[in-house]
C-alpha cells in the first residue's frame, strides 16, 4: 500500500506541476529584467526587479509601453464592470429562474432559448450592439460593457439557479404563504437564503466571465474611462519588441483579483456548481 | 418577476440576432463605405468555396474530439486520484487556478512557454534529450499546442464538478459492494462511474459549446498559423468580421452556420440527458 | 451576501458619478509602436497649451485599424487624432478630415514654420494622401533595414574562412543569392566554425507580417528592368503587388522565384514560421544571428542589450539585399467627426514638425520623414549612416497596396504563402493564380 501511496504522490506532483507551472512562469517573468525574459537555459534564478511595475528601467523610452504604472484606471474599470455584472446577473437570474421554477413561465422552450443565447457567437452581436450603444450614447462607458456582458452571463446563471430553486421543497413556500407572506416575501426570506451557495457560485462565474471578456471591451470602449484590463495588455506588443516583463506584470494584475475573488468564494462555488450540476 | 430578464434580452439579443440574419443575405463591408446590398444566398455559397473556412471547421472538430475527451478523462482521473489524498483541500484549490486565469493572460504565459529558442517547454524537452520543437511553426505541434492549452485551462473545471459529484456518492453503497466481495476496480467500474454519468453529460455539453467558441487563445498564441492549421471557426469569424475591414455580411453568414451547428448539437445532447425531466418542466 | 454586495454597488455608482470630463480633451489613438513618442510629444504640447489635455490610448496593431474604421463609418467620433498605417489609407480616407481644406478654412491655425515642402516627397504622399485628399501628415517613415553584426563581417579570421569556402570576399549581401551563401556560412549546423547559431532571423508567421516580408523578396524582381517592362511602372496606391493596369503581378515566374528565395533561406533561420517581431528581435538581441531584416525602432531596444555591446561596433545597418525593401510607416490624421478639430490640427502640426520629427528619431528610433532632420547636424553625428542608407531604402522601396480592399487581399495571400512555406501546397504559378483569382473577385466587389 505504501508503494501505491508514493506513486500517487508522484502523479499528483506531475499534475500540479503541469497546471501551475504556466502561472509560476508568468509571475516570475513579471519580476525579471529585460535580459532575463528569455535566455538559454531559461532563468529560474535571477535578481528580481520592480521595474516592470513602476517603470524604473529603460529610461530611453516613455512610460506608455514600458511599465504598468498607467494600469490603475483600467483596473478600476475591470473591477467595477465585473462586480456589477456579477451582482446584476445574479439578481436577474434569480428572479427569472424563480419565476420559471414556481410558475412554469415559458416552459422548456424558454429554457432552451436561454441556453441558446449563451451560444450566440459574441462576434455576431458586436456590431449591432455598437450601433445600439452609440445611439444611446453609451459607447466608452461602463454600462455598455455591463449590459453586453449580462447577455452572456445571465443565461448560464439562470440555468444553474433553476436547478437550485427546484431543489427547494414547495412545502416551504406553502408554509410561508400560510403564515401570510406574499410571493416576494417568500422568495426573499425563504427560497433565496436556502440557495445561497448557488447564488454565490453564479455570481463568481459571472465575475470570471466578465473579467476576462475581450471582444466587447474592444468594440464598445475607446479609452481609459471604460477600457478593461484585457485591452490594456495589447499595448506591450510593439513593433520593436514584445515587452514580456510588463506584459507579465499586467497579467498578474489581471489575474490576481479574479483568483482572490474566486478563492474567497470557493466554498460556495464548489457546493453551488455541483449541487446545480448533479441535478442538472 | 421575469420582466428584467426579458427586457435585457429582448433589447440585447433579439436585435443583434435579427441583424445577423438580415446581414447574412447582404454584401456589407465597412471598408468599402457602401450601403448593404442584397445578394441572396451569395454569402452562404461563398462558404463552401472558402478554403480557410473549411480548414477552420477541421480544426474546430479536431479540438472537439481531442481536447474535450482529454479533459473529461483527465478530470475523472484527477478526481479519483485526489480523493482521500492527504491535503486534498489545498491541492484542490491550487488545481482550480488555471480556470480562473483570464484567457488572454493564459495566452501570454503559454506563448512564452512555447518559445522556440528560449521557452521552458523546449528546455524541459532538452533535459530529456529531445530536440527543440517548433510549437508555433509546424502544423502538428501548433495544433497540439492549442489543445494542450485548452486542456490546461479547462480540466480543472471538469475536475471540480466531477470531484464534488464523487463526494456526493454515498459511501455505504461502495462499501457494501466491497463487503460483498467486489474488487475496488469493479466497484469503480460498475457503481461509481455510472453514478457520475449524468454529471459527465452536463460537463460535456458545457465544454462542447465553449470549445466551439474558442477564440482568445488562438488569437494570443498562434494567430491561426502556420498556414491555416490553428484557425478555429470563431477565430476565423473574428478575422472576417473585424480584422479584414468588417466584412459584416460574410461574417454573419459564418455565424449563422455556427449557431445552427451549436443548436443542433446541444439539442441532441439535451435530449440524451433528458434535461426536461431533470429540470422538472 | 447581500450585506457585502449593497455597499459595493453604491460605491461603484459613486465612482461613476464623480468621473469628470475636461473641456478640451483630445483623444489620441496610437499603435504601440508610436505610443511612447506621441506620448512625449503630447506632454510637450500640453506644456505649451495648458488649456488642452491629451489622452494617448495605445491600441495593439491588430485592433487599431478595425477600431478606426468602425468609428469612422459610424460617425461616432470616439477619437480626435489617430496614427494610421500607410496601407489602410484607402479604407479610412472617407472618414478622415481633409487637412488641406481645413487649413485653407483656418489660416490662423496654420503654423508658419511648418514647412510642408520639407517632407521627403514619397513620405509626403504615402503617409499623407489618398488620391487628392490630404488625410494626414507623415509621422513614422520607414522602409525595412538590413541589420548585421558589424564585428563578424569585419573579423579577419572569418573573412579568410569565407573566402576559402566560397571563393569570394565576405561582404554584405547585395542580393538574396549572395545572402543565402552568407547565411549558410553563419549557420552553425552547416558550418561548425560559425560564431553564431543562425545566419539570418526571418519572420514568416501567419500574420500581416508575411504580407510585407514577401515584398522584400518579390520587390527586387518586380523592380528589375525585366520586371518593369513586364508589369509596367509601380503605382503608389496599388503598390508592387500589382501591374500598372491594376492586375495582380505576383502570380508569375517572379512570384514563384521570390517564394523560392524565402524557402531557401528558411534553413538558416531560427523557427521562421513560428516567429514574429518578438522572436526575431530577441534572437538578434541575444547575439544568436548574424543578419536580420527589421524596421527601424528596434535599434532603441537593442541598444540596451548586454550581448550587443559596444553597440556601435557590433551592429551595422545596410540597405536590404536586392535593394527594394518594403516600405512601412504611419501618418497622423484627424477624425472628420472630431469635436475638437482646431486643437487636433494644432497638435498634429506640432507632432510632425521639425522639432517633433527629430525627437522621434533621436529618442525612439522612429524614422524621420523630413529632409531637414536627416541633414540635421545632431542627427548626422548620432547616426551617420542614416542619410545614405535610409534615403536609399526609401527611394528603392517596394510598396504594399493602400487601396480599401487591402486587408482582405492580405489575408488571402498570407494564407496561401504560409501554406506553401509549410510545404502543404506546391510553390507554383497555379497556386498563386488561385490567390490572384480571389483578389480579382475581392476587387470587383
Amino acid at each position: 500500500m505504501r508503494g501505491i501511496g508514493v506513486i500517487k504522490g508522484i502523479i499528483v506532483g506531475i499534475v500540479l506541476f503541469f497546471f501551475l507551472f504556466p502561472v509560476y512562469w508568468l509571475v516570475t517573468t513579471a519580476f525579471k529584467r529585460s535580459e532575463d525574459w528569455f535566455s538559454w537555459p531559461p532563468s529560474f534564478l535571477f535578481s528580481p526587479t520592480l521595474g516592470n511595475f513602476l517603470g524604473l528601467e529603460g529610461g530611453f523610452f516613455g512610460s506608455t509601453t514600458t511599465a504598468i504604472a498607467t494600469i490603475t484606471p483600467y483596473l478600476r474599470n475591470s473591477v467595477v464592470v465585473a462586480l456589477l455584472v456579477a451582482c446584476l446577473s445574479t439578481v436577474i437570474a434569480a428572479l427569472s429562474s424563480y419565476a420559471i421554477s414556481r410558475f412554469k413561465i415559458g416552459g422548456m422552450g424558454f429554457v432552451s432559448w436561454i441556453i441558446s443565447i449563451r451560444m450566440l457567437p459574441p462576434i455576431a452581436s458586436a456590431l449591432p450592439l455598437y450601433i445600439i450603444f452609440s445611439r444611446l450614447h453609451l459607447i466608452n462607458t461602463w454600462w455598455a460593457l455591463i449590459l453586453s456582458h449580462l447577455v452572456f452571463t445571465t443565461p448560464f446563471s439562470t440555468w444553474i439557479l433553476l436547478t437550485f430553486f427546484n431543489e427547494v421543497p414547495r412545502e416551504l413556500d406553502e408554509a410561508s404563504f400560510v403564515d401570510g407572506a406574499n410571493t416576494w416575501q417568500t422568495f426573499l426570506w425563504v427560497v433565496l437564503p436556502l440557495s445561497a451557495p448557488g447564488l454565490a457560485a453564479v455570481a463568481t462565474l459571472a465575475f470570471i466571465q466578465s473579467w476576462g471578456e475581450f471582444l466587447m471591451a474592444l468594440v464598445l470602449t475607446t479609452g481609459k474611462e471604460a477600457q478593461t484590463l484585457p485591452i490594456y495588455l495589447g499595448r506591450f506588443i510593439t513593433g520593436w519588441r514584445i515587452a514580456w516583463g510588463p506584459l507579465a506584470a499586467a497579467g498578474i494584475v489581471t489575474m490576481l483579483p479574479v483568483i482572490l475573488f474566486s478563492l474567497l468564494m470557493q466554498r460556495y462555488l464548489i457546493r453551488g456548481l455541483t449541487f446545480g450540476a448533479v441535478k442538472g | 418577476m421575469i420582466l428584467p430578464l426579458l427586457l435585457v434580452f429582448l433589447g440585447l439579443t433579439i436585435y443583434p440576432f435579427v441583424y445577423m440574419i438580415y446581414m447574412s443575405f447582404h454584401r456589407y463591408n465597412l471598408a468599402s463605405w457602401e450601403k448593404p446590398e442584397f445578394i441572396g444566398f451569395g454569402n452562404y455559397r461563398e462558404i463552401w468555396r472558402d478554403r480557410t473556412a473549411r480548414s477552420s471547421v477541421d480544426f474546430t472538430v479536431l479540438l472537439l474530439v481531442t481536447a474535450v475527451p482529454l479533459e473529461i478523462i483527465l478530470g475523472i482521473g484527477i478526481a479519483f486520484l485526489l480523493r482521500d489524498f492527504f491535503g486534498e483541500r489545498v491541492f484542490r484549490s491550487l488545481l482550480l487556478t488555471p480556470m480562473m486565469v483570464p484567457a488572454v493572460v493564459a495566452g501570454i504565459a503559454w506563448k512564452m512557454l512555447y518559445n522556440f529558442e528560449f521557452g521552458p517547454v523546449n528546455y524541459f524537452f532538452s533535459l530529456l534529450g529531445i530536440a527543440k520543437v517548433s510549437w508555433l511553426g509546424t502544423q502538428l505541434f501548433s495544433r497540439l499546442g492549442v489543445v494542450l492549452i485548452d486542456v490546461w485551462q479547462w480540466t480543472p473545471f471538469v475536475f471540480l464538478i466531477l470531484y464534488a459529484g464523487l463526494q456526493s456518492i454515498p459511501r455505504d453503497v461502495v462499501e457494501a459492494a466491497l463487503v460483498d466481495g467486489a474488487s475496488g476496480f469493479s466497484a469503480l467500474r460498475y457503481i461509481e462511474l455510472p453514478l457520475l454519468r449524468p454529471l459527465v453529460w452536463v460537463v460535456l455539453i458545457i465544454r462542447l459549446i465553449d470549445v466551439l467558441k474558442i477564440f482568445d487563445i488562438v488569437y494570443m498564441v498562434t494567430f491561426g498559423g502556420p498556414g491555416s492549421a490553428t484557425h478555429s471557426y470563431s477565430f476565423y469569424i473574428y478575422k472576417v468580421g473585424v480584422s479584414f475591414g468588417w466584412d459584416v455580411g460574410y461574417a454573419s453568414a459564418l455565424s449563422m452556420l455556427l449557431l445552427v451547428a451549436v443548436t443542433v448539437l446541444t439539442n441532441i445532447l439535451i435530449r440524451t440527458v433528458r434535461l426536461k425531466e431533470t429540470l422538472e418542466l | 451576501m447581500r450585506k457585502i454586495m449593497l455597499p459595493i454597488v453604491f460605491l461603484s455608482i459613486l465612482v461613476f458619478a464623480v468621473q469628470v470630463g475636461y473641456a478640451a480633451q483630445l483623444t489620441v489613438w496610437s499603435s504601440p509602436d508610436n505610443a511612447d513618442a506621441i506620448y512625449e510629444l503630447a506632454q510637450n504640447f500640453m506644456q505649451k497649451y495648458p488649456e488642452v489635455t491629451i489622452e494617448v490610448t495605445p491600441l495593439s496593431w491588430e485592433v487599431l485599424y478595425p477600431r478606426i474604421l468602425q468609428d469612422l463609418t459610424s460617425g461616432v467620433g470616439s477619437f480626435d487624432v489617430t496614427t494610421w498605417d500607410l496601407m489602410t489609407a484607402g479604407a479610412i480616407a472617407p472618414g478622415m478630415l481633409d487637412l488641406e481644406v481645413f487649413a485653407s478654412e483656418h489660416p490662423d491655425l496654420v503654423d508658419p514654420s511648418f514647412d510642408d515642402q520639407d517632407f521627403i516627397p514619397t513620405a509626403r504622399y504615402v503617409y499623407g494622401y489618398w488620391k487628392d485628399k490630404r488625410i494626414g501628415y507623415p509621422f513614422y517613415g520607414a522602409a525595412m533595414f538590413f541589420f548585421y553584426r558589424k564585428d563578424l563581417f569585419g573579423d579577419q579570421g572569418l573573412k579568410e574562412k569565407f573566402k576559402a569556402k566560397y571563393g569570394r570576399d565576405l561582404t554584405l549581401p547585395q542580393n538574396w543569392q549572395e545572402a543565402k551563401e552568407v547565411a549558410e556560412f553563419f549557420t552553425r549546423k552547416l558550418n561548425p566554425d560559425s560564431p553564431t547559431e543562425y545566419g539570418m532571423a526571418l519572420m514568416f508567421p501567419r500574420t500581416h507580417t508575411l504580407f510585407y516580408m514577401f515584398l522584400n523578396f518579390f520587390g527586387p524582381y518586380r523592380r528589375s528592368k525585366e520586371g518593369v517592362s513586364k508589369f509596367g511602372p509601380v503605382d503608389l496606391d496599388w503598390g508592387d503587388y500589382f501591374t500598372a493596369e491594376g492586375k495582380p503581378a505576383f502570380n508569375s515566374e517572379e512570384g514563384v522565384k521570390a517564394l523560392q528565395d524565402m524557402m531557401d533561406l528558411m534553413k538558416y533561420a531560427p523557427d521562421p514560421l513560428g516567429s514574429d517581431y518578438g522572436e526575431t528581435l530577441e534572437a538578434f538581441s541575444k547575439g544568436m544571428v548574424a543578419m536580420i531584416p527589421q524596421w527601424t525602432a528596434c535599434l532603441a531596444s537593442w541598444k540596451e542589450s548586454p550581448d550587443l555591446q559596444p553597440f556601435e561596433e557590433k551592429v551595422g545597418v545596410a540597405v536590404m539585399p536586392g535593394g527594394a525593401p518594403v516600405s512601412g510607416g504611419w501618418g497622423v490624421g484627424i477624425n472628420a467627426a472630431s469635436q475638437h478639430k482646431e486643437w487636433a490640427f494644432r497638435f498634429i502640426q506640432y507632432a510632425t514638425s521639425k522639432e517633433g520629427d527629430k525627437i522621434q528619431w533621436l529618442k525612439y528610433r522612429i524614422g524621420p520623414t523630413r529632409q531637414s532632420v536627416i541633414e540635421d547636424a545632431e542627427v548626422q553625428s548620432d547616426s551617420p549612416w542614416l542619410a545614405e542608407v535610409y534615403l536609399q531604402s526609401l527611394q528603392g522601396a517596394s510598396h504594399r497596396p493602400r487601396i480599401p480592399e487591402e486587408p482582405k487581399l492580405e489575408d488571402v495571400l498570407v494564407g496561401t504563402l504560409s501554406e506553401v512555406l509549410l510545404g502543404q501546397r506546391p510553390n507554383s504559378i497555379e497556386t498563386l493564380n488561385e490567390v490572384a483569382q480571389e483578389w480579382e473577385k475581392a476587387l470587383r466587389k
Side-chain angles (χ1 to χ4, degrees):
Chain A
M1 283 317 273
R2 201 196 171 91
I4 294 179
V6 171
I7 293 172
K8 247 183 150 179
I10 292 173
I11 299 177
V12 170
I14 294 174
V15 167
L16 277 182
F17 179 78
F18 173 68
F19 285 103
L20 292 181
F21 186 77
V23 177
Y24 161 82
W25 198 252
L26 187 86
V27 171
T28 50
T29 303
F31 296 97
K32 287 179 183 172
R33 281 168 224 283
S34 56
E35 58 266 28
D36 292 328
W37 295 344
F38 282 117
S39 60
W40 189 265
S43 49
F44 290 91
L45 293 173
F46 55 92
S47 59
T49 171
L50 283 177
N52 299 321
F53 292 88
L54 308 171
L56 307 168
E57 278 181 87
F60 69 94
F61 20 60
S63 62
T64 335
T65 67
T66 50
I68 62 162
T70 49
I71 204 170
T72 347
Y74 299 86
L75 179 63
R76 176 201 63 192
N77 297 336
S78 276
V79 170
V80 172
V81 168
L83 273 181
L84 281 175
V85 167
C87 297
L88 288 175
S89 84
T90 308
V91 170
I92 296 172
L95 289 174
S96 53
S97 44
Y98 184 68
I100 299 171
S101 159
R102 290 300 188 265
F103 311 115
K104 306 289 174 220
I105 296 174
M108 189 62 198
F110 187 69
V111 174
S112 329
W113 180 57
I114 288 177
I115 297 174
S116 65
I117 288 171
R118 180 175 154 78
M119 295 161 205
L120 193 72
I123 316 287
S125 49
L127 201 64
L129 283 183
Y130 182 77
I131 296 168
I132 299 178
F133 289 131
S134 66
R135 296 230 171 97
L136 299 172
H137 296 284
L138 286 179
I139 295 295
N140 204 25
T141 66
W142 292 332
W143 294 107
L145 286 184
I146 292 167
L147 288 173
S148 63
H149 289 179
L150 280 179
V151 176
F152 304 112
T153 58
T154 320
F156 192 59
S157 306
T158 309
W159 190 23
I160 291 190
L161 283 183
L162 190 56
T163 61
F164 265 92
F165 295 156
N166 282 341
E167 279 300 291
V168 178
R170 305 286 149 99
E171 292 75 32
L172 287 179
D173 293 41
E174 278 150 25
S176 159
F177 290 140
V178 170
D179 290 347
N182 61 23
T183 315
W184 279 99
Q185 287 162 333
T186 310
F187 174 64
L188 281 177
W189 306 120
V190 178
V191 180
L192 272 193
L194 284 172
S195 317
L199 295 175
V202 296
T204 312
L205 286 176
F207 186 89
I208 295 177
Q209 254 191 303
S210 165
W211 186 274
E213 201 281 334
F214 174 76
L215 189 72
M216 290 299 159
L218 169 67
V219 172
L220 300 175
T221 62
T222 61
K224 69 172 183 190
E225 296 78 15
Q227 265 173 354
T228 50
L229 291 168
I231 307 299
Y232 179 80
L233 294 170
R235 68 176 57 193
F236 299 109
I237 301 168
T238 69
W240 41 275
R241 68 164 187 181
I242 297 181
W244 290 107
L247 199 54
I252 292 183
V253 176
T254 310
M255 183 169 78
L256 211 54
V258 72
I259 290 184
L260 287 180
F261 187 82
S262 313
L263 282 182
L264 236 105
M265 304 286 253
Q266 195 195 176
R267 207 153 48 93
Y268 302 105
L269 183 68
I270 292 172
R271 256 209 291 165
L273 265 185
T274 46
F275 190 26
V278 170
K279 287 298 293 178
Chain B
M1 266 182 139
I2 206 157
L3 207 65
L5 179 82
L6 279 180
L7 277 180
V8 171
F9 285 169
L10 277 179
L12 298 180
T13 65
I14 302 282
Y15 176 65
F17 185 63
V18 172
Y19 183 91
M20 180 171 84
I21 297 176
Y22 175 81
M23 281 307 170
S24 73
F25 295 105
H26 288 72
R27 174 178 300 145
Y28 185 42
N29 185 332
L30 295 193
S32 72
W33 292 80
E34 280 160 8
K35 293 248 172 304
E37 176 199 342
F38 183 77
I39 52 165
F41 283 91
N43 287 322
Y44 292 94
R45 272 201 299 275
E46 180 69 28
I47 297 175
W48 302 118
R49 300 186 43 257
D50 186 339
R51 292 175 55 100
T52 319
R54 266 181 296 163
S55 58
S56 70
V57 171
D58 290 351
F59 179 59
T60 309
V61 172
L62 186 84
L63 276 177
L64 285 180
V65 299
T66 54
V68 178
L70 255 175
E71 281 156 23
I72 289 184
I73 292 169
L74 275 176
I76 295 176
I78 298 171
F80 277 109
L81 184 69
L82 272 194
R83 187 173 60 166
D84 307 329
F85 196 74
F86 86 100
E88 56 177 322
R89 294 181 71 108
V90 179
F91 287 135
R92 189 187 62 196
S93 303
L94 286 174
L95 265 186
L96 295 190
T97 321
M99 74 177 259
M100 288 150 195
V101 176
V104 267
V105 180
I108 295 167
W110 280 95
K111 185 131 187 170
M112 285 192 279
L113 297 184
Y114 282 155
N115 188 289
F116 177 72
E117 281 301 335
F118 309 106
V121 178
N122 278 352
Y123 175 69
F124 293 133
F125 276 20
S126 76
L127 294 183
L128 301 173
I130 304 170
K132 281 177 181 172
V133 165
S134 170
W135 286 96
L136 305 173
T138 53
Q139 163 147 336
L140 176 69
F141 284 101
S142 60
R143 286 184 159 180
L144 185 66
V146 175
V147 170
L148 262 182
I149 301 174
D150 199 64
V151 167
W152 171 79
Q153 185 145 42
W154 291 109
T155 302
F157 174 75
V158 177
F159 154 76
L160 170 67
I161 289 184
L162 296 182
Y163 178 76
L166 211 54
Q167 303 269 322
S168 68
I169 293 176
R171 275 303 162 88
D172 42 352
V173 178
V174 181
E175 273 155 24
L178 290 175
V179 168
D180 288 350
S183 70
F185 178 75
S186 58
L188 182 114
R189 168 81 177 74
Y190 293 105
I191 300 171
E192 294 182 296
L193 280 183
L195 283 171
L196 277 183
R197 195 182 297 144
L199 269 187
V200 172
W201 277 113
V202 172
V203 172
L204 192 69
I205 297 182
I206 296 174
R207 284 307 305 142
L208 287 181
I209 298 172
D210 282 352
V211 163
L212 283 173
K213 293 201 295 189
I214 191 168
F215 157 73
D216 323 49
I217 286 294
V218 173
Y219 177 85
M220 286 303 294
V221 180
T222 66
F223 213 75
S228 305
T230 58
H231 273 63
S232 71
Y233 195 74
S234 295
F235 174 72
Y236 185 56
I237 299 181
Y238 170 80
K239 275 177 62 180
V240 172
V242 181
S243 303
F244 298 169
W246 297 90
D247 193 343
V248 181
Y250 192 45
S252 298
L254 287 167
S255 304
M256 280 301 294
L257 279 198
L258 178 61
L259 198 61
V260 169
V262 181
T263 314
V264 169
L265 189 69
T266 40
N267 265 309
I268 294 172
L269 286 169
I270 286 173
R271 241 144 257 192
T272 324
V273 294
R274 287 195 285 271
L275 187 69
K276 197 168 152 82
E277 283 77 12
T278 48
L279 289 185
E280 297 169 27
L281 284 165
Chain C
M1 275 312 293
R2 274 199 319 277
K3 272 185 190 152
I4 314 171
M5 288 301 182
L6 226 58
I8 292 175
V9 174
F10 279 126
L11 200 72
S12 26
I13 291 171
L14 201 73
V15 178
F16 188 64
V18 294
Q19 274 189 308
V20 215
Y22 294 94
Q25 178 170 356
L26 284 184
T27 302
V28 177
W29 284 0
S30 158
S31 78
D33 310 19
N34 301 316
D36 291 325
I38 213 161
Y39 179 78
E40 179 174 339
L41 296 169
Q43 302 301 314
N44 294 350
F45 187 78
M46 286 192 284
Q47 264 175 5
K48 282 186 197 167
Y49 303 98
E51 60 269 47
V52 196
T53 327
I54 299 178
E55 185 59 47
V56 177
T57 304
L59 284 171
S60 62
W61 190 92
E62 281 86 8
V63 302
L64 181 60
Y65 158 70
R67 260 327 252 118
I68 294 175
L69 187 62
Q70 179 198 19
D71 186 78
L72 294 180
T73 49
S74 65
V76 172
S78 305
F79 68 91
D80 302 293
V81 172
T82 187
T83 62
W84 49 268
D85 198 322
L86 83 163
M87 84 258 186
T88 63
I92 63 165
M96 299 295 282
L97 186 70
D98 190 331
L99 299 176
E100 258 160 32
V101 174
F102 189 82
S104 66
E105 285 167 5
H106 301 82
D108 51 312
L109 293 179
V110 177
D111 176 3
S113 64
F114 184 64
D115 194 3
D116 195 21
Q117 296 310 317
D118 181 35
F119 290 116
I120 302 164
T122 319
R124 187 165 175 272
Y125 183 77
V126 292
Y127 312 126
Y129 284 89
W130 171 249
K131 312 267 185 212
D132 292 332
K133 188 174 180 182
R134 188 83 188 255
I135 56 171
Y137 292 142
F139 186 74
Y140 183 164
M144 277 187 114
F145 284 145
F146 191 70
F147 297 96
Y148 62 97
R149 286 287 299 279
K150 220 188 220 172
D151 54 332
L152 303 183
F153 276 82
D155 185 282
Q156 209 49 47
L158 287 172
K159 277 179 162 173
E160 279 159 21
K161 280 181 189 150
F162 186 87
K163 184 143 194 183
K165 197 165 177 196
Y166 297 96
R168 65 179 178 89
D169 287 327
L170 173 61
T171 51
L172 275 173
Q174 296 304 305
N175 53 51
W176 289 113
Q177 302 312 321
E178 287 180 27
K180 288 175 199 170
E181 283 181 3
V182 182
E184 185 187 48
F185 179 72
F186 281 113
T187 303
R188 196 170 294 146
K189 214 167 34 185
L190 303 164
N191 171 21
D193 292 338
S194 165
T196 54
E197 189 88 24
Y198 298 97
M200 191 183 296
L202 292 167
M203 41 186 191
F204 296 154
R206 170 68 151 107
T207 64
H208 76 287
T209 303
L210 188 53
F211 190 66
Y212 60 72
M213 283 303 286
F214 178 70
L215 269 192
N216 287 319
F217 298 86
F218 182 62
Y221 293 112
R222 173 75 179 83
R223 296 270 166 153
S224 70
K225 259 199 205 103
E226 299 78 36
V228 173
S229 69
K230 185 169 171 188
F231 303 118
V234 176
D235 180 275
L236 276 184
D237 292 337
W238 289 79
D240 287 63
Y241 272 113
F242 286 96
T243 67
E245 287 88 46
K247 294 266 174 227
F250 61 85
N251 52 333
S252 55
E253 228 176 289
E254 287 77 5
V256 173
K257 275 194 221 159
L259 208 42
Q260 191 57 47
D261 288 341
M262 292 166 80
M263 291 161 88
D264 291 345
L265 278 168
M266 272 167 54
K267 46 181 173 292
Y268 316 123
D271 194 26
L273 296 177
S275 297
D276 209 327
Y277 291 94
E279 290 79 10
T280 49
L281 291 169
E282 199 72 47
F284 190 81
S285 117
K286 294 276 185 232
M288 287 176 61
V289 291
M291 302 170 279
I292 178 176
Q294 259 301 347
W295 300 106
T296 61
C298 44
L299 277 170
S301 59
W302 285 337
K303 200 163 185 173
E304 307 270 298
S305 165
D307 296 313
L308 296 177
Q309 302 307 327
F311 188 70
E312 304 301 330
E313 287 166 34
K314 279 206 169 174
V315 179
V317 191
V319 179
M320 191 75 69
V326 66
S327 71
W330 299 78
V332 55
I334 300 173
N335 188 339
S338 160
Q339 300 293 315
H340 308 287
K341 293 194 188 74
E342 286 81 3
W343 283 114
F345 186 67
R346 283 191 182 159
F347 175 62
I348 67 167
Q349 281 184 96
Y350 170 70
T352 58
S353 66
K354 289 174 186 171
E355 181 190 337
D357 209 35
K358 190 166 150 184
I359 295 176
Q360 283 167 36
W361 173 251
L362 290 179
K363 198 158 165 193
Y364 302 99
R365 300 304 178 193
I366 285 182
T369 53
R370 286 177 172 275
Q371 193 73 39
S372 63
V373 171
I374 294 171
E375 287 156 6
D376 183 274
E378 198 185 336
V379 170
Q380 293 218 327
S381 74
D382 167 82
S383 26
W385 47 270
L386 185 73
E388 194 194 332
V389 174
Y390 181 61
L391 284 179
Q392 204 183 326
S393 295
L394 268 190
Q395 268 148 21
S398 49
H399 299 282
R400 282 168 281 171
R402 307 192 316 140
I403 53 178
E405 294 84 357
E406 196 276 343
K408 175 78 192 165
L409 304 184
E410 176 182 305
D411 197 71
V412 176
L413 182 64
V414 165
T416 305
L417 292 183
S418 183
E419 282 169 6
V420 171
L421 296 178
L422 201 57
Q424 289 178 334
R425 306 184 70 184
N427 176 22
S428 65
I429 298 191
E430 289 75 46
T431 311
L432 294 174
N433 269 338
E434 269 179 47
V435 183
Q437 276 168 18
E438 292 289 314
W439 276 34
E440 299 205 23
K441 211 174 75 203
L443 291 170
R444 264 200 310 274
K445 275 187 185 173

